[in-house]
Amino acid sequence: MDEARKIVDDIRALRVQGARNIALAALKAVRFVVEKSSSTALENAVKEIVLELARARPTEPAMRDALTYVLRALRSAGSRDELLQALDRYEEELRSAEEKISEYGARRVPDGGVVITHCHSTTVVNLLRRAKKDGKKFRVIVTETRPLYQGKTTAKELLESGIPVTYVVDSAAYYFMRDADIYLTGADAITSDGYVINKIGTALMAVAAERFDVPYYVAASTLKYDPVTAAGYPEPIEERDPAEVIDPRELPGAEIRNPAFDVTPPELVDGIISELGIYAPQIFPAMVSQSKGVCPHIEEMIALFRLAGKQQ
Ligand code: RUB
């Protein structure tokens, strides 16, 4: 169980970050619990870890989808092995979605051009690796992404893949946007009205992209679509510890805020690159519903969403 609790801590502290990595880490934690629990304790132990995970990062529909899947599999699986096989199938679906996104998105990377990105998204990094594998030559401008510098991870991963990187401070995004041919980010959540929720600063860069006529594409699997927003719940924006920004003792009396994400309106987004194809954010939710059906497990998702929002 210690391994599972450590994963919860790692997710909360952002030692594991990025929506896709978070969903995969959550499944790994569940797997530990399934493997280590006695048959009589298994059901309760899984439910307990599911709740702890859902509470670790509130703005994560992909993880909630994975956890809802776990709860359903727990009910329908006849044995521990069947439950583990169900987890394997879900992970396989995630992997195949990622491949499709890379395939479609790589075609939008301009050969000889410049990409600008923000934060660290494995979906974006994999897409860029695919573009390089397909023979495209391009450079990527990476913003450092204060306060936790996820841009460093992006820069390192791209450099390791032989992709040239220009690393800049967040406030240089406007200055460099004019050099870019495409602005590309991942997403944590996409709402039923086509709003994109991603790392704080994403929307500011989208405004700059519009100013310089740079197309903005969001690479995100359909799991990022949050069906609870269609049921009227607003996507929560996680507010993190102010000490990540500055030691509050340095500014006694100041209010220090640290929202993890911001919300980009659909009119600033040219397209969402998903495993279904590339669609405008306004029609993306309809495409998801068309392909998966209007979320059949919505009540369960809402229940988990509400529990996750409650203080422990
Ligand atoms: C990470 C972030 C990423 C999305 C998408 O924020 O905003 O762009 O999660 O990532 P944080 P991916 O560092 O706070 O988790 O494409 O890997 O799912």
Side-chain angles (χ1 to χ4, degrees):
M1 297 309 171
D2 286 353
E3 290 101 325
R5 296 270 130 68
K6 186 176 173 309
I7 292 176
V8 175
D9 284 347
D10 285 348
I11 290 174
R12 202 178 285 123
L14 260 77
R15 286 187 291 274
V16 173
Q17 59 75 227
R20 185 171 184 276
N21 287 340
I22 291 168
L24 285 170
L27 289 173
K28 196 169 162 195
V30 170
R31 198 179 279 277
F32 274 128
V33 170
V34 173
E35 280 166 353
K36 299 279 158 64
S37 305
S38 67
S39 308
T40 46
L42 192 133
E43 186 176 337
N44 281 342
V46 169
K47 285 181 177 164
E48 214 174 287
I49 198 74
V50 160
L51 195 54
E52 280 188 45
L53 286 159
R55 282 177 170 152
R57 300 283 314 263
T59 316
E60 293 301 342
M63 172 164 63
R64 279 198 295 277
D65 188 274
L67 296 176
T68 310
Y69 175 88
V70 166
L71 294 176
R72 273 186 284 134
L74 187 63
R75 271 200 308 274
S76 61
S79 66
R80 194 189 302 262
D81 278 351
E82 270 182 42
L83 186 50
L84 291 170
Q85 282 159 16
L87 297 183
D88 290 344
R89 281 197 298 277
Y90 191 90
E91 283 177 11
E92 185 45 43
E93 270 178 42
L94 275 180
R95 255 186 294 279
S96 85
E98 188 85 344
E99 270 172 36
K100 283 267 168 244
I101 295 169
S102 295
E103 181 190 338
Y104 302 149
R107 298 187 181 125
R108 292 292 164 107
V109 174
D111 197 15
V114 176
V115 178
I116 188 165
T117 190
H118 184 55
C119 197
H120 173 250
S121 151
T122 45
T123 317
V124 168
V125 170
N126 286 338
L127 184 163
L128 293 172
R129 283 178 177 145
R130 172 68 192 254
K132 157 113 175 132
K133 197 168 145 237
D134 290 350
K136 300 244 172 105
K137 290 193 170 40
F138 54 93
R139 182 166 61 89
V140 185
I141 301 172
V142 178
T143 47
E144 60 180 356
T145 317
R146 281 270 297 147
L148 294 181
Y149 302 99
Q150 289 93 329
K152 264 196 227 172
T153 309
T154 303
K156 280 183 194 157
E157 290 181 357
L158 293 176
L159 289 168
E160 276 161 20
S161 306
I163 298 168
V165 164
T166 304
Y167 186 76
V168 303
V169 296
D170 297 323
S171 42
Y174 184 91
Y175 184 89
F176 286 103
M177 187 59 77
R178 70 184 77 220
D179 297 342
D181 300 293
I182 185 171
Y183 171 37
L184 198 55
T185 70
D188 284 272
I190 299 167
T191 68
S192 58
D193 36 10
Y195 285 73
V196 172
I197 288 133
N198 194 52
K199 178 55 55 193
I200 193 80
T202 301
L204 200 58
M205 287 176 67
V207 172
E210 191 196 35
R211 171 74 178 78
F212 294 111
D213 277 333
V214 175
Y216 173 30
Y217 285 91
V218 174
S221 84
T222 54
L223 294 183
K224 308 293 179 63
Y225 168 62
D226 195 348
V228 308
T229 58
Y233 293 97
E235 188 66 42
I237 301 294
E238 176 186 356
E239 185 99 21
R240 296 183 60 81
D241 187 351
E244 286 179 354
V245 177
I246 188 171
D247 182 342
R249 287 170 303 189
E250 286 186 44
L251 287 176
E255 180 192 33
I256 300 158
R257 300 277 307 270
N258 186 18
F261 303 107
D262 62 20
V263 184
T264 303
E267 60 272 19
L268 294 182
V269 180
D270 289 84
I272 294 178
I273 307 167
S274 78
E275 70 273 29
L276 301 177
I278 305 179
Y279 294 101
Q282 290 88 343
I283 64 160
F284 177 73
M287 298 309 295
V288 178
S289 303
Q290 198 183 73
S291 119
K292 297 185 166 179
V294 175
C295 183
H297 316 292
I298 186 68
E299 293 308 329
E300 216 162 355
M301 291 206 84
I302 289 173
L304 188 61
F305 172 82
R306 294 184 67 180
L307 281 171
K310 291 216 172 86
Q311 289 308 309
Q312 303 193 49

